[in-house]
Amino acid sequence: MNAIAGKTVPIYEKIVVKPQAVHIGAEISGVDLSAPLDATTIAEIRAALLQWKVVFFRDQPLSHTQHVAFGKQFGDLTVGHPVFGYEPGHPEIYSVGRDRFKNRFNGPRLVRPWTGWHTDVTAAINPPAASILRGVTIPQYGGDTQWTNLVAAYQGLSPALRAFVDTLQGEHRFTPPEGNRATQDFVNKVAATPLVSHHPLVRVHPETGEKALYVSPGFLKNIVGLHPRESEQLLALLFEHVVRPEYTVRFKWEEGSLAFWDNRSTAHLAPVDIYDTDFERQLYRITLVGDVPVGPDGKSSVSIEGKPVVAHSVE
């Protein structure tokens, strides 16, 4: 172990870890992800992920099969997306294409500072533990993705407010972005796989013990037990807080880049600037099966509708 800025950090022997921002994000080099990794390398990547919340790799032109094989070294994989399906012939892979929302929503969005920020699939009782996104077709410029550290955001609250949010749960579900209208396709798919859950507003990380401000603006709709106006105002405060620039990192994609993030301690923002260009953008994502969140009071999340997202299996 080593000490940097007063923090104890791992010493890496198999990989090179280069931090990208103070609170979140590191680039890992010195490893070939297309081949099976040894136990030490897997452990070091996992340690870097837990420390930096999202890690990035460059020059890793993986196939779908290699992408899946890499992910399986860190845990069981879910189906590509429990509501919106998967890539034909590759059930663990979800296509993150430029125009994937065209069949889901229409109309202008109501844009707030936190619009678009989310943690993956928090409507499920056991949201994915981690996500691994691979860049294939990348714009000449633009199309960056951002992540925020929800542990740092929690620590940035006043002690009095931390003590209050420690006691609360919020309702997460799939709805159109504010201002958008749902298409019939969106309505049908959400009805076919209903997912609604109550999660603690503060989640205790199952591996590190850290407390994360578990608010996902894209999914979290209200705070359980508060009056509507109270819920609206507190959520606005928390949403604005978690996307403060000092908690974030911004990643510029290249072909063959991978981003691997801890879904239990981060939220992220997909780009919208690409819609002002004609550039194509195609990425692919896999997700690892997650556990049921637990709050500081020891209370677990509660499923209101739907089943847990389990490992994909061949039927």
PDB file of all heavy atoms in Angstrom, residues 77-103:
ATOM      1  N   LEU A  77     -23.034 -11.963 -15.547  1.00  0.00           N
ATOM      2  CA  LEU A  77     -23.579 -10.919 -16.395  1.00  0.00           C
ATOM      3  C   LEU A  77     -25.094 -11.025 -16.497  1.00  0.00           C
ATOM      4  O   LEU A  77     -25.652 -12.123 -16.554  1.00  0.00           O
ATOM      5  CB  LEU A  77     -22.969 -10.990 -17.795  1.00  0.00           C
ATOM      6  CG  LEU A  77     -21.449 -10.881 -17.900  1.00  0.00           C
ATOM      7  CD1 LEU A  77     -21.031 -10.855 -19.369  1.00  0.00           C
ATOM      8  CD2 LEU A  77     -20.927  -9.640 -17.176  1.00  0.00           C
ATOM      9  N   THR A  78     -25.745  -9.885 -16.534  1.00  0.00           N
ATOM     10  CA  THR A  78     -27.186  -9.835 -16.749  1.00  0.00           C
ATOM     11  C   THR A  78     -27.483  -9.978 -18.241  1.00  0.00           C
ATOM     12  O   THR A  78     -26.582  -9.943 -19.087  1.00  0.00           O
ATOM     13  CB  THR A  78     -27.776  -8.502 -16.285  1.00  0.00           C
ATOM     14  OG1 THR A  78     -27.382  -7.466 -17.195  1.00  0.00           O
ATOM     15  CG2 THR A  78     -27.312  -8.142 -14.886  1.00  0.00           C
ATOM     16  N   VAL A  79     -28.762 -10.088 -18.574  1.00  0.00           N
ATOM     17  CA  VAL A  79     -29.177  -9.889 -19.958  1.00  0.00           C
ATOM     18  C   VAL A  79     -28.875  -8.436 -20.300  1.00  0.00           C
ATOM     19  O   VAL A  79     -28.783  -7.578 -19.409  1.00  0.00           O
ATOM     20  CB  VAL A  79     -30.677 -10.218 -20.121  1.00  0.00           C
ATOM     21  CG1 VAL A  79     -31.552  -9.177 -19.439  1.00  0.00           C
ATOM     22  CG2 VAL A  79     -31.054 -10.361 -21.594  1.00  0.00           C
ATOM     23  N   GLY A  80     -28.694  -8.143 -21.595  1.00  0.00           N
ATOM     24  CA  GLY A  80     -28.276  -6.799 -22.012  1.00  0.00           C
ATOM     25  C   GLY A  80     -29.015  -5.681 -21.303  1.00  0.00           C
ATOM     26  O   GLY A  80     -28.409  -4.796 -20.707  1.00  0.00           O
ATOM     27  N   HIS A  81     -30.343  -5.698 -21.364  1.00  0.00           N
ATOM     28  CA  HIS A  81     -31.169  -4.742 -20.626  1.00  0.00           C
ATOM     29  C   HIS A  81     -32.464  -5.447 -20.266  1.00  0.00           C
ATOM     30  O   HIS A  81     -33.095  -6.063 -21.132  1.00  0.00           O
ATOM     31  CB  HIS A  81     -31.467  -3.497 -21.469  1.00  0.00           C
ATOM     32  CG  HIS A  81     -31.997  -2.348 -20.687  1.00  0.00           C
ATOM     33  ND1 HIS A  81     -33.261  -2.351 -20.128  1.00  0.00           N
ATOM     34  CD2 HIS A  81     -31.437  -1.157 -20.353  1.00  0.00           C
ATOM     35  CE1 HIS A  81     -33.457  -1.202 -19.499  1.00  0.00           C
ATOM     36  NE2 HIS A  81     -32.368  -0.464 -19.610  1.00  0.00           N
ATOM     37  N   PRO A  82     -32.897  -5.382 -19.007  1.00  0.00           N
ATOM     38  CA  PRO A  82     -34.083  -6.146 -18.605  1.00  0.00           C
ATOM     39  C   PRO A  82     -35.365  -5.656 -19.247  1.00  0.00           C
ATOM     40  O   PRO A  82     -36.348  -6.417 -19.318  1.00  0.00           O
ATOM     41  CB  PRO A  82     -34.124  -5.949 -17.085  1.00  0.00           C
ATOM     42  CG  PRO A  82     -33.375  -4.684 -16.838  1.00  0.00           C
ATOM     43  CD  PRO A  82     -32.293  -4.653 -17.876  1.00  0.00           C
ATOM     44  N   VAL A  83     -35.396  -4.410 -19.715  1.00  0.00           N
ATOM     45  CA  VAL A  83     -36.607  -3.852 -20.326  1.00  0.00           C
ATOM     46  C   VAL A  83     -36.451  -3.689 -21.831  1.00  0.00           C
ATOM     47  O   VAL A  83     -37.361  -4.016 -22.602  1.00  0.00           O
ATOM     48  CB  VAL A  83     -36.975  -2.499 -19.676  1.00  0.00           C
ATOM     49  CG1 VAL A  83     -38.175  -1.858 -20.382  1.00  0.00           C
ATOM     50  CG2 VAL A  83     -37.269  -2.684 -18.188  1.00  0.00           C
ATOM     51  N   PHE A  84     -35.308  -3.205 -22.280  1.00  0.00           N
ATOM     52  CA  PHE A  84     -35.147  -2.820 -23.678  1.00  0.00           C
ATOM     53  C   PHE A  84     -34.321  -3.801 -24.512  1.00  0.00           C
ATOM     54  O   PHE A  84     -33.918  -3.484 -25.627  1.00  0.00           O
ATOM     55  CB  PHE A  84     -34.570  -1.406 -23.766  1.00  0.00           C
ATOM     56  CG  PHE A  84     -35.457  -0.388 -23.114  1.00  0.00           C
ATOM     57  CD1 PHE A  84     -35.068   0.260 -21.950  1.00  0.00           C
ATOM     58  CD2 PHE A  84     -36.708  -0.104 -23.638  1.00  0.00           C
ATOM     59  CE1 PHE A  84     -35.894   1.176 -21.336  1.00  0.00           C
ATOM     60  CE2 PHE A  84     -37.549   0.814 -23.033  1.00  0.00           C
ATOM     61  CZ  PHE A  84     -37.149   1.459 -21.878  1.00  0.00           C
ATOM     62  N   GLY A  85     -34.079  -4.983 -23.973  1.00  0.00           N
ATOM     63  CA  GLY A  85     -33.549  -6.054 -24.798  1.00  0.00           C
ATOM     64  C   GLY A  85     -32.043  -6.108 -24.917  1.00  0.00           C
ATOM     65  O   GLY A  85     -31.306  -5.599 -24.086  1.00  0.00           O
ATOM     66  N   TYR A  86     -31.585  -6.721 -26.013  1.00  0.00           N
ATOM     67  CA  TYR A  86     -30.164  -7.011 -26.169  1.00  0.00           C
ATOM     68  C   TYR A  86     -29.807  -7.091 -27.646  1.00  0.00           C
ATOM     69  O   TYR A  86     -30.683  -7.091 -28.524  1.00  0.00           O
ATOM     70  CB  TYR A  86     -29.799  -8.316 -25.463  1.00  0.00           C
ATOM     71  CG  TYR A  86     -30.667  -9.505 -25.842  1.00  0.00           C
ATOM     72  CD1 TYR A  86     -30.378 -10.261 -26.974  1.00  0.00           C
ATOM     73  CD2 TYR A  86     -31.765  -9.856 -25.069  1.00  0.00           C
ATOM     74  CE1 TYR A  86     -31.160 -11.344 -27.336  1.00  0.00           C
ATOM     75  CE2 TYR A  86     -32.562 -10.934 -25.418  1.00  0.00           C
ATOM     76  CZ  TYR A  86     -32.260 -11.676 -26.545  1.00  0.00           C
ATOM     77  OH  TYR A  86     -33.059 -12.746 -26.906  1.00  0.00           O
ATOM     78  N   GLU A  87     -28.513  -7.178 -27.901  1.00  0.00           N
ATOM     79  CA  GLU A  87     -28.001  -7.277 -29.261  1.00  0.00           C
ATOM     80  C   GLU A  87     -28.291  -8.682 -29.806  1.00  0.00           C
ATOM     81  O   GLU A  87     -27.973  -9.680 -29.148  1.00  0.00           O
ATOM     82  CB  GLU A  87     -26.492  -7.005 -29.248  1.00  0.00           C
ATOM     83  CG  GLU A  87     -25.836  -6.925 -30.612  1.00  0.00           C
ATOM     84  CD  GLU A  87     -26.224  -5.682 -31.399  1.00  0.00           C
ATOM     85  OE1 GLU A  87     -26.981  -4.829 -30.877  1.00  0.00           O
ATOM     86  OE2 GLU A  87     -25.760  -5.578 -32.543  1.00  0.00           O
ATOM     87  N   PRO A  88     -28.915  -8.795 -30.972  1.00  0.00           N
ATOM     88  CA  PRO A  88     -29.234 -10.121 -31.522  1.00  0.00           C
ATOM     89  C   PRO A  88     -28.013 -11.028 -31.582  1.00  0.00           C
ATOM     90  O   PRO A  88     -26.945 -10.627 -32.061  1.00  0.00           O
ATOM     91  CB  PRO A  88     -29.753  -9.800 -32.932  1.00  0.00           C
ATOM     92  CG  PRO A  88     -30.310  -8.415 -32.815  1.00  0.00           C
ATOM     93  CD  PRO A  88     -29.397  -7.710 -31.845  1.00  0.00           C
ATOM     94  N   GLY A  89     -28.149 -12.220 -31.034  1.00  0.00           N
ATOM     95  CA  GLY A  89     -27.068 -13.185 -31.023  1.00  0.00           C
ATOM     96  C   GLY A  89     -26.117 -13.027 -29.859  1.00  0.00           C
ATOM     97  O   GLY A  89     -25.235 -13.874 -29.653  1.00  0.00           O
ATOM     98  N   HIS A  90     -26.279 -11.958 -29.086  1.00  0.00           N
ATOM     99  CA  HIS A  90     -25.391 -11.695 -27.941  1.00  0.00           C
ATOM    100  C   HIS A  90     -26.248 -11.200 -26.779  1.00  0.00           C
ATOM    101  O   HIS A  90     -26.324  -9.988 -26.516  1.00  0.00           O
ATOM    102  CB  HIS A  90     -24.319 -10.679 -28.316  1.00  0.00           C
ATOM    103  CG  HIS A  90     -23.419 -11.122 -29.421  1.00  0.00           C
ATOM    104  ND1 HIS A  90     -22.305 -11.918 -29.213  1.00  0.00           N
ATOM    105  CD2 HIS A  90     -23.493 -10.916 -30.762  1.00  0.00           C
ATOM    106  CE1 HIS A  90     -21.723 -12.161 -30.385  1.00  0.00           C
ATOM    107  NE2 HIS A  90     -22.421 -11.566 -31.326  1.00  0.00           N
ATOM    108  N   PRO A  91     -26.901 -12.097 -26.071  1.00  0.00           N
ATOM    109  CA  PRO A  91     -27.904 -11.694 -25.070  1.00  0.00           C
ATOM    110  C   PRO A  91     -27.356 -10.917 -23.885  1.00  0.00           C
ATOM    111  O   PRO A  91     -28.135 -10.281 -23.177  1.00  0.00           O
ATOM    112  CB  PRO A  91     -28.492 -13.034 -24.622  1.00  0.00           C
ATOM    113  CG  PRO A  91     -27.486 -14.062 -24.999  1.00  0.00           C
ATOM    114  CD  PRO A  91     -26.822 -13.559 -26.229  1.00  0.00           C
ATOM    115  N   GLU A  92     -26.046 -10.924 -23.642  1.00  0.00           N
ATOM    116  CA  GLU A  92     -25.496 -10.147 -22.532  1.00  0.00           C
ATOM    117  C   GLU A  92     -25.198  -8.692 -22.926  1.00  0.00           C
ATOM    118  O   GLU A  92     -24.868  -7.877 -22.067  1.00  0.00           O
ATOM    119  CB  GLU A  92     -24.189 -10.767 -22.025  1.00  0.00           C
ATOM    120  CG  GLU A  92     -24.317 -12.202 -21.530  1.00  0.00           C
ATOM    121  CD  GLU A  92     -23.986 -13.219 -22.620  1.00  0.00           C
ATOM    122  OE1 GLU A  92     -23.957 -12.826 -23.808  1.00  0.00           O
ATOM    123  OE2 GLU A  92     -23.740 -14.390 -22.276  1.00  0.00           O
ATOM    124  N   ILE A  93     -25.310  -8.375 -24.212  1.00  0.00           N
ATOM    125  CA  ILE A  93     -24.875  -7.068 -24.707  1.00  0.00           C
ATOM    126  C   ILE A  93     -26.058  -6.172 -25.047  1.00  0.00           C
ATOM    127  O   ILE A  93     -27.015  -6.591 -25.708  1.00  0.00           O
ATOM    128  CB  ILE A  93     -23.968  -7.239 -25.934  1.00  0.00           C
ATOM    129  CG1 ILE A  93     -22.653  -7.924 -25.522  1.00  0.00           C
ATOM    130  CG2 ILE A  93     -23.684  -5.899 -26.603  1.00  0.00           C
ATOM    131  CD1 ILE A  93     -21.682  -8.141 -26.651  1.00  0.00           C
ATOM    132  N   TYR A  94     -25.981  -4.931 -24.585  1.00  0.00           N
ATOM    133  CA  TYR A  94     -26.982  -3.910 -24.876  1.00  0.00           C
ATOM    134  C   TYR A  94     -26.367  -2.874 -25.813  1.00  0.00           C
ATOM    135  O   TYR A  94     -25.266  -2.368 -25.550  1.00  0.00           O
ATOM    136  CB  TYR A  94     -27.441  -3.258 -23.568  1.00  0.00           C
ATOM    137  CG  TYR A  94     -28.356  -2.073 -23.722  1.00  0.00           C
ATOM    138  CD1 TYR A  94     -29.572  -2.167 -24.396  1.00  0.00           C
ATOM    139  CD2 TYR A  94     -28.003  -0.832 -23.162  1.00  0.00           C
ATOM    140  CE1 TYR A  94     -30.409  -1.077 -24.510  1.00  0.00           C
ATOM    141  CE2 TYR A  94     -28.844   0.263 -23.268  1.00  0.00           C
ATOM    142  CZ  TYR A  94     -30.045   0.137 -23.949  1.00  0.00           C
ATOM    143  OH  TYR A  94     -30.881   1.227 -24.057  1.00  0.00           O
ATOM    144  N   SER A  95     -27.059  -2.562 -26.893  1.00  0.00           N
ATOM    145  CA  SER A  95     -26.560  -1.600 -27.861  1.00  0.00           C
ATOM    146  C   SER A  95     -26.836  -0.172 -27.387  1.00  0.00           C
ATOM    147  O   SER A  95     -27.982   0.192 -27.116  1.00  0.00           O
ATOM    148  CB  SER A  95     -27.234  -1.819 -29.221  1.00  0.00           C
ATOM    149  OG  SER A  95     -26.903  -0.777 -30.122  1.00  0.00           O
ATOM    150  N   VAL A  96     -25.765   0.613 -27.261  1.00  0.00           N
ATOM    151  CA  VAL A  96     -25.881   2.032 -26.903  1.00  0.00           C
ATOM    152  C   VAL A  96     -25.596   2.823 -28.167  1.00  0.00           C
ATOM    153  O   VAL A  96     -24.478   3.307 -28.393  1.00  0.00           O
ATOM    154  CB  VAL A  96     -24.913   2.394 -25.762  1.00  0.00           C
ATOM    155  CG1 VAL A  96     -25.067   3.865 -25.377  1.00  0.00           C
ATOM    156  CG2 VAL A  96     -25.180   1.519 -24.548  1.00  0.00           C
ATOM    157  N   GLY A  97     -26.609   2.904 -29.016  1.00  0.00           N
ATOM    158  CA  GLY A  97     -26.482   3.599 -30.285  1.00  0.00           C
ATOM    159  C   GLY A  97     -26.973   5.030 -30.194  1.00  0.00           C
ATOM    160  O   GLY A  97     -27.733   5.387 -29.280  1.00  0.00           O
ATOM    161  N   ARG A  98     -26.573   5.826 -31.129  1.00  0.00           N
ATOM    162  CA  ARG A  98     -26.930   7.253 -31.148  1.00  0.00           C
ATOM    163  C   ARG A  98     -28.435   7.468 -31.077  1.00  0.00           C
ATOM    164  O   ARG A  98     -28.917   8.355 -30.364  1.00  0.00           O
ATOM    165  CB  ARG A  98     -26.362   7.880 -32.418  1.00  0.00           C
ATOM    166  CG  ARG A  98     -26.867   9.274 -32.722  1.00  0.00           C
ATOM    167  CD  ARG A  98     -26.543   9.691 -34.151  1.00  0.00           C
ATOM    168  NE  ARG A  98     -27.333  10.846 -34.539  1.00  0.00           N
ATOM    169  CZ  ARG A  98     -26.840  12.076 -34.694  1.00  0.00           C
ATOM    170  NH1 ARG A  98     -25.574  12.310 -34.478  1.00  0.00           N
ATOM    171  NH2 ARG A  98     -27.626  13.074 -35.046  1.00  0.00           N
ATOM    172  N   ASP A  99     -29.195   6.671 -31.797  1.00  0.00           N
ATOM    173  CA  ASP A  99     -30.629   6.934 -31.955  1.00  0.00           C
ATOM    174  C   ASP A  99     -31.508   5.975 -31.162  1.00  0.00           C
ATOM    175  O   ASP A  99     -32.670   5.763 -31.507  1.00  0.00           O
ATOM    176  CB  ASP A  99     -30.998   6.870 -33.445  1.00  0.00           C
ATOM    177  CG  ASP A  99     -30.282   7.933 -34.258  1.00  0.00           C
ATOM    178  OD1 ASP A  99     -30.103   9.052 -33.741  1.00  0.00           O
ATOM    179  OD2 ASP A  99     -29.897   7.644 -35.409  1.00  0.00           O
ATOM    180  N   ARG A 100     -30.978   5.415 -30.070  1.00  0.00           N
ATOM    181  CA  ARG A 100     -31.740   4.400 -29.341  1.00  0.00           C
ATOM    182  C   ARG A 100     -33.002   4.939 -28.668  1.00  0.00           C
ATOM    183  O   ARG A 100     -33.910   4.177 -28.334  1.00  0.00           O
ATOM    184  CB  ARG A 100     -30.850   3.728 -28.293  1.00  0.00           C
ATOM    185  CG  ARG A 100     -30.371   4.638 -27.183  1.00  0.00           C
ATOM    186  CD  ARG A 100     -29.303   3.941 -26.346  1.00  0.00           C
ATOM    187  NE  ARG A 100     -28.813   4.745 -25.225  1.00  0.00           N
ATOM    188  CZ  ARG A 100     -27.945   5.740 -25.353  1.00  0.00           C
ATOM    189  NH1 ARG A 100     -27.469   6.052 -26.549  1.00  0.00           N
ATOM    190  NH2 ARG A 100     -27.546   6.421 -24.285  1.00  0.00           N
ATOM    191  N   PHE A 101     -33.086   6.270 -28.465  1.00  0.00           N
ATOM    192  CA  PHE A 101     -34.255   6.824 -27.783  1.00  0.00           C
ATOM    193  C   PHE A 101     -35.382   7.226 -28.729  1.00  0.00           C
ATOM    194  O   PHE A 101     -36.461   7.595 -28.286  1.00  0.00           O
ATOM    195  CB  PHE A 101     -33.844   8.038 -26.947  1.00  0.00           C
ATOM    196  CG  PHE A 101     -32.864   7.714 -25.849  1.00  0.00           C
ATOM    197  CD1 PHE A 101     -31.636   8.344 -25.791  1.00  0.00           C
ATOM    198  CD2 PHE A 101     -33.173   6.769 -24.884  1.00  0.00           C
ATOM    199  CE1 PHE A 101     -30.725   8.045 -24.793  1.00  0.00           C
ATOM    200  CE2 PHE A 101     -32.274   6.457 -23.873  1.00  0.00           C
ATOM    201  CZ  PHE A 101     -31.046   7.098 -23.829  1.00  0.00           C
ATOM    202  N   LYS A 102     -35.138   7.157 -30.039  1.00  0.00           N
ATOM    203  CA  LYS A 102     -36.144   7.622 -30.997  1.00  0.00           C
ATOM    204  C   LYS A 102     -37.456   6.867 -30.889  1.00  0.00           C
ATOM    205  O   LYS A 102     -38.537   7.432 -31.096  1.00  0.00           O
ATOM    206  CB  LYS A 102     -35.603   7.514 -32.426  1.00  0.00           C
ATOM    207  CG  LYS A 102     -34.700   8.670 -32.832  1.00  0.00           C
ATOM    208  CD  LYS A 102     -34.364   8.607 -34.312  1.00  0.00           C
ATOM    209  CE  LYS A 102     -33.580   9.839 -34.744  1.00  0.00           C
ATOM    210  NZ  LYS A 102     -33.246   9.791 -36.194  1.00  0.00           N
ATOM    211  N   ASN A 103     -37.368   5.565 -30.579  1.00  0.00           N
ATOM    212  CA  ASN A 103     -38.579   4.757 -30.477  1.00  0.00           C
ATOM    213  C   ASN A 103     -39.208   4.787 -29.084  1.00  0.00           C
ATOM    214  O   ASN A 103     -40.205   4.116 -28.838  1.00  0.00           O
ATOM    215  CB  ASN A 103     -38.279   3.306 -30.853  1.00  0.00           C
ATOM    216  CG  ASN A 103     -37.917   3.142 -32.311  1.00  0.00           C
ATOM    217  OD1 ASN A 103     -38.380   3.901 -33.156  1.00  0.00           O
ATOM    218  ND2 ASN A 103     -37.065   2.166 -32.606  1.00  0.00           N
TER     219      ASN A 103
END
